[in-house]
Amino acid sequence: MNQEKEVIEIGKKVAALEQAVGNLAGWQKAQNGSIKETRQDVSKLKYWIMGATLGVALNLAGIVAVLAGLKG
């Protein structure tokens, strides 16, 4: 009878562990999706910053050209 209780108790623990592992697997999948979305957002932001920097550089080059034309 004592062994029967132990087997039942072990079965309950195994079931709880299976549920916990299932929950962790679901959480990990969600986290991986969030990481992928964040990586894509950072990539878009990187290209936006590069474009803005190029715009500023071209604007400065235009200003320098205008100023050089005024002095010449």
Side-chain angles (χ1 to χ4, degrees):
M1 195 65 147
N2 197 15
Q3 285 182 337
E4 209 173 295
K5 287 181 182 179
E6 288 180 27
V7 169
I8 291 171
E9 193 62 33
I10 290 172
K12 288 179 182 179
K13 288 180 181 181
V14 168
L17 287 172
E18 286 176 343
Q19 183 178 4
V21 169
N23 291 341
L24 286 174
W27 175 82
Q28 185 179 27
K29 187 174 181 180
Q31 290 296 342
N32 288 343
S34 296
I35 290 170
K36 183 179 179 183
E37 290 174 8
T38 302
R39 186 175 292 152
Q40 291 171 346
D41 290 344
V42 168
S43 182
K44 290 177 188 175
L45 183 60
K46 178 179 71 172
Y47 288 117
W48 185 86
I49 290 171
M50 287 171 35
T53 302
L54 178 63
V56 169
L58 291 174
N59 196 3
L60 288 175
I63 291 171
V64 169
V66 169
L67 290 176
L70 292 177
K71 287 187 178 182

